[in-house]
């Protein structure tokens, strides 16, 4: 297939583009600038000039491809409004075609799961940072009734290739001499390696039926404190942690603090059962102590 990525230069988009190409798919991606065009062409990706807020470009690009994977986000105060507008535009452009449309959501729409290992049927209780997202998920899934093979993927915390949220904690640890945790840090985090997640996108693109919701997660959940201690070890800080109240964390990270404080245990079993998707990448602790993050710590 010729697959449109709304962003192929971001952390997730780059990985998905490479995974698509490895399976023989062609990749087209939006490009806002000449520099982005050059980056895409160097990676064997066909650039399409336009941006997320350019509804005409989105419509035209979607009409020219076989499938759409929405990976772009503005990551600003307007993110929710821009995201919904882009999704509405893209879905309208491919309505009635049965083209696949993959939407990127995330676990933070689920809120706290507590001791329950939650799956795709768990009721939603989003934190403020993503309060707008359940409505967009519903919009995407309902497009199955309008002739779109629509799929929603909720990634867990993404790690690998030295990216994701972990470098934020590493930088804080390096500057403060202790790695921050919120409260006791006993809230659970669920993870997915970016290469496994990219493979999930490809499997869903190729196999998932219309109206499918999938959680992308692998391995057992671990506590924020365990992650922080592993980061401290990687940075040579021993066991030094900085315990923050939620209010102190909000003063540093804003609404992101409430997302980081979530207690979430989730299962990616549905994707494994229905798509024969098998996570194979190194576990997060291995990446921290021996992989891409250890290399970053040494370089710093």
């Amino acid at each position: 297939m010729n697959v449109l990525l709304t962003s192929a230069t971001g952390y997730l988009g780059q990985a998905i583009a490479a995974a698509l190409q490895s399976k023989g798919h062609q990749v087209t991606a939006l490009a806002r600038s000449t520099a982005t065009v050059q980056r895409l062409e160097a990676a064997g990706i066909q650039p399409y000039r336009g941006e997320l807020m350019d509804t005409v470009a989105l419509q035209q690009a979607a009409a020219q491809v076989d499938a759409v994977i929405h990976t772009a986000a503005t990551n600003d105060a307007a993110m929710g409004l821009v995201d919904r507008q882009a999704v509405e535009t893209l879905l309208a452009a491919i309505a009635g075609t049965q083209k696949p449309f993959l939407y990127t959501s995330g676990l933070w729409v689920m809120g706290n799961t507590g001791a329950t290992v939650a799956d795709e049927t768990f009721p939603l209780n989003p934190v403020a940072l993503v309060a707008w997202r359940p409505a967009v998920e519903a919009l995407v899934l309902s497009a199955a009734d309008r002739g779109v093979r629509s799929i929603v993927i909720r990634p867990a915390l993404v790690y690998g290739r030295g990216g994701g949220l972990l470098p934020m904690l590493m930088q804080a640890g390096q500057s403060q001499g202790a790695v921050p945790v919120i409260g006791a840090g006993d809230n659970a985090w669920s993870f997915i390696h970016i290469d496994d997640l990219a493979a999930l996108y490809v499997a869903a693109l190729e196999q998932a039926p219309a109206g499918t919701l999938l959680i992308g997660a692998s391995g057992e959940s671990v506590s924020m404190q365990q992650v922080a201690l592993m980061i401290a070890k990687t940075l040579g800080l021993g066991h030094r942690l900085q315990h923050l109240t939620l209010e102190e964390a909000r003063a540093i990270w804003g609404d992101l603090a409430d997302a980081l404080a979530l207690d979430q245990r989730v299962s990616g079993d549905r994707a494994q059962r229905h798509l024969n998707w098998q996570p194979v990448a190194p576990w997060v602790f291995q990446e921290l102590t021996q992989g891409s993050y250890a290399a970053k710590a040494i370089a710093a």
Side-chain angles (χ1 to χ4, degrees):
M1 283 184 266
N2 183 3
V3 183
L4 172 68
L5 293 182
T6 53
S7 172
T9 56
Y11 179 50
L12 177 57
Q14 286 187 68
I16 294 174
L20 288 167
Q21 290 171 324
S22 73
K23 287 298 191 75
H25 298 291
Q26 296 175 290
V27 180
T28 298
L30 294 181
R32 291 188 299 174
S33 66
T34 300
T36 301
V37 168
Q38 294 171 344
R39 285 180 63 190
L40 293 173
E41 290 177 339
I45 297 169
Q46 177 65 42
Y48 193 96
R49 287 304 291 260
E51 59 181 32
L52 205 55
M53 292 175 281
D54 185 343
T55 55
V56 173
L58 288 181
Q59 290 171 341
Q60 292 175 344
Q64 295 177 23
V65 296
D66 305 309
V68 179
I69 299 179
H70 183 31
T71 50
T74 58
N75 294 314
D76 58 19
M79 181 167 67
L81 291 173
V82 173
D83 190 61
R84 185 180 182 97
Q85 176 181 286
V87 167
E88 289 175 341
T89 300
L90 290 164
L91 290 176
I94 61 174
T97 65
Q98 299 301 330
K99 290 181 181 180
F101 178 87
L102 277 66
Y103 176 69
T104 306
S105 185
L107 291 191
W108 293 339
V109 299
M110 299 170 69
N112 288 315
T113 66
T116 303
V117 178
D119 63 13
E120 290 82 356
T121 65
F122 193 84
L124 301 187
N125 184 26
V127 293
L129 190 66
V130 294
W132 49 271
R133 184 158 268 160
V136 182
E137 280 193 6
L139 178 67
V140 173
L141 294 174
S142 68
D145 298 326
R146 294 190 286 129
V148 178
R149 186 156 67 85
S150 56
I151 300 152
V152 171
I153 296 180
R154 288 185 193 150
L157 293 178
V158 185
Y159 70 96
R161 301 191 185 191
L165 280 172
L166 297 180
M168 182 184 77
L169 296 179
M170 292 178 69
Q171 291 165 7
Q174 287 169 328
S175 62
Q176 302 290 336
V179 182
V181 296
I182 299 174
D186 55 5
N187 57 302
W189 283 1
S190 295
F191 284 95
I192 179 73
H193 192 287
I194 191 165
D195 292 340
D196 287 332
L197 179 58
L200 173 58
Y201 272 81
V202 177
L205 173 78
E206 295 176 341
Q207 304 174 48
T212 297
L213 169 64
L214 297 168
I215 289 174
S218 64
E220 294 185 358
S221 301
V222 294
S223 72
M224 184 181 189
Q225 183 183 43
Q226 288 175 294
V227 175
L229 285 170
M230 197 61 65
I231 290 173
K233 177 181 178 182
T234 299
L235 296 176
L237 298 174
H239 295 84
R240 289 196 287 277
L241 302 182
Q242 180 189 19
H243 290 273
L244 304 171
T245 66
L246 183 55
E247 290 72 23
E248 289 170 334
R250 286 170 178 155
I252 299 169
W253 295 313
D255 286 343
L256 177 60
D258 293 272
L260 298 179
L262 288 173
D263 187 33
Q264 296 189 311
R265 296 165 179 83
V266 301
S267 168
D269 287 352
R270 176 183 285 185
Q272 295 190 45
R273 287 195 314 270
H274 294 289
L275 303 180
N276 196 30
W277 168 71
Q278 292 296 328
V280 297
W283 179 230
V284 61
F285 289 169
Q286 185 179 350
E287 277 275 27
L288 279 168
T289 57
Q290 303 170 37
S292 55
Y293 302 99
K296 268 194 166 187
I298 292 170

